Structures are given as structure tokens and as C-alpha cells.
Amino acid sequence: MVQSVLGSLILGYRPLWNRARKLAAIQLYVHSEASALVDTAHLLRTLQELWSASSPPILLSPQNHQLLSNMLEHAPRGAPWIEVRGNWLSDSTIYALVKAAHQRGLKLVWRGELGRLPEPDIAQCFDNSLLTLRPEDAVAALKAAPAARPGGTRTPTQPARTPSPVLAGQMYENIASRALMEHCLDQHNALALAGWPTEDVLYSLRHHPQQPSHAVIFKLMKAIDAEQSLETFEDIMGQDPILAYRFMVYTNSAALGLRTGIDSLRRGLVMMGYGSIKRWLSDQLPHASTDPNMQPVRESMVMRAQLTAQLLDAGVENDLRREIYLCGLLSQIDDLLGEPLGTILRRLPLSERIYDATVLRTGPYTGGLQMACALETDDASAIRNLCETFELDLEEVNRALLRVLADLEVERR
């Protein structure tokens, strides 16, 4: 039996978010053992087979020289974008391969510091760049940004005091502040941000209790009006951790007087009846969040839930799969509600397996949840260690990741 290329690689991912705060693409980290010969053509074919027209575009990020060289040499025209680190261009082999790949029509992305852009002769080989702002660049950009009005919004008409170093139409990474993110995306038309300044976005909203998404509530109300399936209702509610949590708190409240504890979204939906659900959603709507900066925060949590469920594939056990999804979805809700996770989860009659995995880091779901978290990084050693600790098959882990990423949808312009 020929070993799949997915058994000889370690993959990780990072979402790229566009100006509309929607998923624009996925950065796919690709690691290999230094000594391993990787069939990159096989990897590219695998991606092509899994991806559909609505799947997100991919930015391949090879993590060593050998992998990059293989990709530059063997990727056909029309392959995903390939990232080339600026400081690797000092290697004459990679320099020559970049020039040849560009002539073949490959889409290449230069990755490095804004202050160290490549010389014009090599810069023309790149279709875009993934830039890091040095501290002095970040300071200059924020000085150039229009002053904030009371309440945090910015006045677009106020003239900038100094020109911003931020280049329009490029991608940026490691943007840790909300103000800098808004400067890049809103004032300078950055193509996308790799990662999201979640901590700072949540900190900026700390005086306002987190609310569920207006768009998700509205979508669910429309689905109920259209008399869609129970699965559809559950799927939509599972797109917002706060909405899911609040719904379960409500269905377990004394006001409803149900005799048995509601331990899943599905059971709550069945017990409540559609008229009652719609009235409850109508009560949520006036206070719901319309802040677009929260959209990537929620969507990242949903990705983790989907990945946890895929990694711990429960086979035909639908109830178990829903429980695992809920485990992933609620695993970061403490960041949203500002309370200890254990306190939050103890309000609900959830399976002990969820509490064990998220709070105690033990039990049958902990391996899948920890792996889902590790796959959000480029830390190959952490992923390898988790495979060994929890006896997870690397090829299966990679397949689970690619399935989840391929099922994500982006709006094509």
C-alpha cells in the first residue's frame, strides 16, 4: 500500500479575514521532517480533489527550504498561492526557483517585514505580500490614522498628520490591536488580515456584555418561518456560541418548568416548539450584536468546534457528534462572558465529558479538543506530541483538518 502524502506532513491553519470581516482565504502551514522526501504534487492533487468552488482559496506556507523548493519546482499553473519568506531569497537555489515559478505563471506571496521589501527585480515575481509591521511602522500607522470620535468610531474626513507606511492591497499578519486592524482594512484597503486581534477586540468591548449575533438570530428566525428542518435550526444556532449557551440556559430555567435537564441544542429545540423559540429569538434581537469585528471571533470558535467534532468522529452516533461539537463551541466562551469556564458550564446540565475536556483537560474529548487548538498554530512539535500522547493517526488528523477547511464557504466576488 502506498502511503498517502498526508501521513508524512504536519499541517496547521490560520484564517485570513477581509475588509467585510468575512473569511477570505486559509493559510495552510505545511511541515515535513527535514529528511523526508515529500511528494508535493500528490499534496496539491489531494487539495484539488477535496476543494470545491465555494471552498476558501489557500495560501500554502511551506515551513522549510526543501518543501518550498519542491512546491516551486513542481506546482502546476493554477495551484494555490505559495508563500516565500523574504529572508529565504538569499538562498540562490530558491531565488532561481522563484524566478522560474513566476515565469510558469505560479501565484507567489512574499512574506516578511514591511521595512524590508524585496528589490524591484525580484518583487515583480510576487502577486502579493504577507507583511509584518515593525513597532515603528505600527506607531507611524496609528499616528496617521484619523482621530477617534467618542465611542470609538473614526472620522474619515480628518486629514492624516503623517503618511501611513501601510501599503494598500496587501495582506498583513500579527496585527494585535483593533485600531491597527481597522487602519489596515478600512483606511488602507488591505486585502486580508492573517489571524485576528481577538484579545483587543474583546477588551475594547469589556464594558458591554457580549450579545449573540444579530445576523445569526435573524437567519434562524427566517429558517423557522420557512419551516426548514430541525437539523437546519440546530446548525444555525450552533454558529454562535453565546446564542447556543443562552438558549440552553433558558430551556433549563425554572420559568419553563421542564422536568428533565436539557443537555443539547437539539433537545431544547424539540421541547420548546417553534412558536416559543421564535418569541424567545424576538426578545434577543433588540440587544443583539451588529459589531462586524466580532464576526471573525465567532467564526474561529465555530471552526474549532467543527474540527473537534471531525477529529473525534463519532461514526453513526449523531447525539455524540453533537455533544463533541458543543464541547468545542463552548471551550472559549469564558473569553466572551468574562467568567471562569467552570462556573459557566456548571449552569447547564451538560455531559461531564464536556466539563472534563474543557476545564480539567481530561476524559475522552480532551485529545480532540487539544488537537483542534494546536492545529490553529504552526507549532509542528505540539501537533506531533499530541499524536503520540493520544495515539492519534497523523494522516487522519490531516484529513480531518482538510475536510473542515474545504467545507468552509467564502463569497466569491
Side-chain angles (χ1 to χ4, degrees), residues 32 56 135 149 159 179 189 220 253 258 270 273 280 319 324 327 334 366 388:
S32 68
R149 290 197 201 104
N189 289 322
L220 184 50
S253 65
L258 298 175
V270 168
W280 180 78
D319 284 351
I324 296 167
C327 177
D334 52 326
T366 189
E388 289 169 9

PDB file of all heavy atoms in Angstrom, residues 32 56 135 149 159 179 189 220 253 258 270 273 280 319 324 327 334 366 388:
ATOM      1  N   SER A  32       7.354  19.302   7.154  1.00  0.00           N
ATOM      2  CA  SER A  32       7.774  17.918   6.916  1.00  0.00           C
ATOM      3  C   SER A  32       9.018  17.675   7.749  1.00  0.00           C
ATOM      4  O   SER A  32       9.700  18.619   8.146  1.00  0.00           O
ATOM      5  CB  SER A  32       8.082  17.685   5.437  1.00  0.00           C
ATOM      6  OG  SER A  32       9.239  18.423   5.065  1.00  0.00           O
ATOM      7  N   PRO A  56     -12.586  27.979   0.558  1.00  0.00           N
ATOM      8  CA  PRO A  56     -11.716  29.163   0.591  1.00  0.00           C
ATOM      9  C   PRO A  56     -10.440  28.966  -0.218  1.00  0.00           C
ATOM     10  O   PRO A  56      -9.892  27.853  -0.251  1.00  0.00           O
ATOM     11  CB  PRO A  56     -11.388  29.329   2.079  1.00  0.00           C
ATOM     12  CG  PRO A  56     -11.715  28.030   2.711  1.00  0.00           C
ATOM     13  CD  PRO A  56     -12.718  27.337   1.868  1.00  0.00           C
ATOM     14  N   PRO A 135       7.511  47.593  15.080  1.00  0.00           N
ATOM     15  CA  PRO A 135       6.904  48.502  16.062  1.00  0.00           C
ATOM     16  C   PRO A 135       6.853  49.952  15.570  1.00  0.00           C
ATOM     17  O   PRO A 135       5.845  50.640  15.747  1.00  0.00           O
ATOM     18  CB  PRO A 135       7.810  48.353  17.288  1.00  0.00           C
ATOM     19  CG  PRO A 135       8.369  46.968  17.169  1.00  0.00           C
ATOM     20  CD  PRO A 135       8.526  46.712  15.702  1.00  0.00           C
ATOM     21  N   ARG A 149     -13.548  59.349  17.219  1.00  0.00           N
ATOM     22  CA  ARG A 149     -14.643  60.114  17.833  1.00  0.00           C
ATOM     23  C   ARG A 149     -14.974  59.474  19.179  1.00  0.00           C
ATOM     24  O   ARG A 149     -14.641  58.313  19.401  1.00  0.00           O
ATOM     25  CB  ARG A 149     -15.902  60.000  16.958  1.00  0.00           C
ATOM     26  CG  ARG A 149     -15.875  60.709  15.647  1.00  0.00           C
ATOM     27  CD  ARG A 149     -17.312  60.818  15.157  1.00  0.00           C
ATOM     28  NE  ARG A 149     -17.350  61.034  13.729  1.00  0.00           N
ATOM     29  CZ  ARG A 149     -17.660  60.095  12.857  1.00  0.00           C
ATOM     30  NH1 ARG A 149     -17.934  58.871  13.254  1.00  0.00           N
ATOM     31  NH2 ARG A 149     -17.709  60.370  11.572  1.00  0.00           N
ATOM     32  N   PRO A 159      -7.842  65.043   7.933  1.00  0.00           N
ATOM     33  CA  PRO A 159      -6.597  64.741   7.210  1.00  0.00           C
ATOM     34  C   PRO A 159      -5.581  64.038   8.099  1.00  0.00           C
ATOM     35  O   PRO A 159      -5.481  64.304   9.291  1.00  0.00           O
ATOM     36  CB  PRO A 159      -6.090  66.123   6.788  1.00  0.00           C
ATOM     37  CG  PRO A 159      -6.751  67.087   7.725  1.00  0.00           C
ATOM     38  CD  PRO A 159      -8.056  66.473   8.113  1.00  0.00           C
ATOM     39  N   ALA A 179      -7.318  48.995  16.669  1.00  0.00           N
ATOM     40  CA  ALA A 179      -7.125  50.241  15.916  1.00  0.00           C
ATOM     41  C   ALA A 179      -6.271  50.005  14.675  1.00  0.00           C
ATOM     42  O   ALA A 179      -6.559  50.524  13.590  1.00  0.00           O
ATOM     43  CB  ALA A 179      -6.474  51.288  16.822  1.00  0.00           C
ATOM     44  N   ASN A 189      -7.375  49.614   2.744  1.00  0.00           N
ATOM     45  CA  ASN A 189      -7.814  48.557   1.817  1.00  0.00           C
ATOM     46  C   ASN A 189      -6.880  47.353   1.772  1.00  0.00           C
ATOM     47  O   ASN A 189      -6.560  46.844   0.693  1.00  0.00           O
ATOM     48  CB  ASN A 189      -7.968  49.115   0.395  1.00  0.00           C
ATOM     49  CG  ASN A 189      -9.157  50.032   0.289  1.00  0.00           C
ATOM     50  OD1 ASN A 189     -10.197  49.782   0.896  1.00  0.00           O
ATOM     51  ND2 ASN A 189      -9.006  51.118  -0.448  1.00  0.00           N
ATOM     52  N   LEU A 220     -31.913  32.478  11.785  1.00  0.00           N
ATOM     53  CA  LEU A 220     -32.671  31.394  12.420  1.00  0.00           C
ATOM     54  C   LEU A 220     -34.177  31.683  12.372  1.00  0.00           C
ATOM     55  O   LEU A 220     -34.984  30.786  12.102  1.00  0.00           O
ATOM     56  CB  LEU A 220     -32.184  31.197  13.860  1.00  0.00           C
ATOM     57  CG  LEU A 220     -32.796  30.049  14.659  1.00  0.00           C
ATOM     58  CD1 LEU A 220     -32.759  28.732  13.897  1.00  0.00           C
ATOM     59  CD2 LEU A 220     -32.084  29.893  16.004  1.00  0.00           C
ATOM     60  N   SER A 253     -34.236  26.848  32.485  1.00  0.00           N
ATOM     61  CA  SER A 253     -34.649  27.774  33.561  1.00  0.00           C
ATOM     62  C   SER A 253     -35.950  27.295  34.222  1.00  0.00           C
ATOM     63  O   SER A 253     -36.747  26.571  33.623  1.00  0.00           O
ATOM     64  CB  SER A 253     -34.849  29.180  32.997  1.00  0.00           C
ATOM     65  OG  SER A 253     -35.938  29.194  32.087  1.00  0.00           O
ATOM     66  N   LEU A 258     -39.450  22.567  32.762  1.00  0.00           N
ATOM     67  CA  LEU A 258     -39.315  21.231  32.158  1.00  0.00           C
ATOM     68  C   LEU A 258     -38.770  20.270  33.207  1.00  0.00           C
ATOM     69  O   LEU A 258     -37.904  20.625  34.013  1.00  0.00           O
ATOM     70  CB  LEU A 258     -38.367  21.296  30.948  1.00  0.00           C
ATOM     71  CG  LEU A 258     -38.844  22.191  29.792  1.00  0.00           C
ATOM     72  CD1 LEU A 258     -37.771  22.279  28.715  1.00  0.00           C
ATOM     73  CD2 LEU A 258     -40.139  21.661  29.185  1.00  0.00           C
ATOM     74  N   VAL A 270     -36.530  20.667  20.311  1.00  0.00           N
ATOM     75  CA  VAL A 270     -37.677  19.743  20.264  1.00  0.00           C
ATOM     76  C   VAL A 270     -38.668  20.088  21.372  1.00  0.00           C
ATOM     77  O   VAL A 270     -39.882  20.138  21.158  1.00  0.00           O
ATOM     78  CB  VAL A 270     -37.200  18.273  20.389  1.00  0.00           C
ATOM     79  CG1 VAL A 270     -38.375  17.346  20.630  1.00  0.00           C
ATOM     80  CG2 VAL A 270     -36.432  17.860  19.144  1.00  0.00           C
ATOM     81  N   GLY A 273     -40.767  23.934  20.964  1.00  0.00           N
ATOM     82  CA  GLY A 273     -41.788  24.260  19.963  1.00  0.00           C
ATOM     83  C   GLY A 273     -41.422  25.528  19.220  1.00  0.00           C
ATOM     84  O   GLY A 273     -40.855  26.458  19.800  1.00  0.00           O
ATOM     85  N   TRP A 280     -38.790  33.740  21.773  1.00  0.00           N
ATOM     86  CA  TRP A 280     -37.541  33.924  22.524  1.00  0.00           C
ATOM     87  C   TRP A 280     -36.496  34.643  21.665  1.00  0.00           C
ATOM     88  O   TRP A 280     -35.826  35.563  22.137  1.00  0.00           O
ATOM     89  CB  TRP A 280     -37.016  32.561  22.994  1.00  0.00           C
ATOM     90  CG  TRP A 280     -35.743  32.671  23.776  1.00  0.00           C
ATOM     91  CD1 TRP A 280     -35.611  33.044  25.079  1.00  0.00           C
ATOM     92  CD2 TRP A 280     -34.409  32.426  23.293  1.00  0.00           C
ATOM     93  NE1 TRP A 280     -34.271  33.046  25.441  1.00  0.00           N
ATOM     94  CE2 TRP A 280     -33.521  32.665  24.367  1.00  0.00           C
ATOM     95  CE3 TRP A 280     -33.883  32.021  22.066  1.00  0.00           C
ATOM     96  CZ2 TRP A 280     -32.148  32.526  24.233  1.00  0.00           C
ATOM     97  CZ3 TRP A 280     -32.516  31.875  21.938  1.00  0.00           C
ATOM     98  CH2 TRP A 280     -31.653  32.124  23.011  1.00  0.00           C
ATOM     99  N   ASP A 319     -25.971  11.851  18.329  1.00  0.00           N
ATOM    100  CA  ASP A 319     -26.045  12.557  19.615  1.00  0.00           C
ATOM    101  C   ASP A 319     -24.646  12.849  20.146  1.00  0.00           C
ATOM    102  O   ASP A 319     -24.382  13.926  20.679  1.00  0.00           O
ATOM    103  CB  ASP A 319     -26.821  11.726  20.647  1.00  0.00           C
ATOM    104  CG  ASP A 319     -28.322  11.777  20.391  1.00  0.00           C
ATOM    105  OD1 ASP A 319     -28.737  12.593  19.539  1.00  0.00           O
ATOM    106  OD2 ASP A 319     -29.056  11.002  21.023  1.00  0.00           O
ATOM    107  N   ILE A 324     -19.903  16.505  21.070  1.00  0.00           N
ATOM    108  CA  ILE A 324     -18.498  16.867  20.832  1.00  0.00           C
ATOM    109  C   ILE A 324     -18.418  18.268  20.210  1.00  0.00           C
ATOM    110  O   ILE A 324     -17.561  19.078  20.569  1.00  0.00           O
ATOM    111  CB  ILE A 324     -17.812  15.823  19.916  1.00  0.00           C
ATOM    112  CG1 ILE A 324     -17.768  14.460  20.616  1.00  0.00           C
ATOM    113  CG2 ILE A 324     -16.405  16.267  19.553  1.00  0.00           C
ATOM    114  CD1 ILE A 324     -17.399  13.297  19.696  1.00  0.00           C
ATOM    115  N   CYS A 327     -18.896  20.759  22.858  1.00  0.00           N
ATOM    116  CA  CYS A 327     -17.661  20.817  23.653  1.00  0.00           C
ATOM    117  C   CYS A 327     -16.681  21.818  23.024  1.00  0.00           C
ATOM    118  O   CYS A 327     -16.138  22.698  23.697  1.00  0.00           O
ATOM    119  CB  CYS A 327     -17.040  19.420  23.716  1.00  0.00           C
ATOM    120  SG  CYS A 327     -15.469  19.343  24.589  1.00  0.00           S
ATOM    121  N   ASP A 334     -15.650  31.456  27.958  1.00  0.00           N
ATOM    122  CA  ASP A 334     -15.193  32.304  29.062  1.00  0.00           C
ATOM    123  C   ASP A 334     -14.588  33.611  28.544  1.00  0.00           C
ATOM    124  O   ASP A 334     -14.707  34.655  29.187  1.00  0.00           O
ATOM    125  CB  ASP A 334     -14.200  31.560  29.961  1.00  0.00           C
ATOM    126  CG  ASP A 334     -13.060  30.927  29.185  1.00  0.00           C
ATOM    127  OD1 ASP A 334     -13.282  30.486  28.039  1.00  0.00           O
ATOM    128  OD2 ASP A 334     -11.937  30.848  29.728  1.00  0.00           O
ATOM    129  N   THR A 366     -10.678  15.189  25.355  1.00  0.00           N
ATOM    130  CA  THR A 366      -9.577  16.148  25.527  1.00  0.00           C
ATOM    131  C   THR A 366      -8.554  16.081  24.392  1.00  0.00           C
ATOM    132  O   THR A 366      -8.029  17.105  23.963  1.00  0.00           O
ATOM    133  CB  THR A 366      -8.915  15.981  26.913  1.00  0.00           C
ATOM    134  OG1 THR A 366      -8.008  17.048  27.110  1.00  0.00           O
ATOM    135  CG2 THR A 366      -8.145  14.672  27.041  1.00  0.00           C
ATOM    136  N   GLU A 388       1.214  11.512  19.587  1.00  0.00           N
ATOM    137  CA  GLU A 388       1.824  10.442  20.385  1.00  0.00           C
ATOM    138  C   GLU A 388       1.060  10.237  21.696  1.00  0.00           C
ATOM    139  O   GLU A 388       0.745   9.108  22.078  1.00  0.00           O
ATOM    140  CB  GLU A 388       3.293  10.777  20.679  1.00  0.00           C
ATOM    141  CG  GLU A 388       4.183  10.668  19.437  1.00  0.00           C
ATOM    142  CD  GLU A 388       5.569  11.248  19.659  1.00  0.00           C
ATOM    143  OE1 GLU A 388       5.914  11.587  20.820  1.00  0.00           O
ATOM    144  OE2 GLU A 388       6.307  11.395  18.659  1.00  0.00           O
TER     145      GLU A 388
END
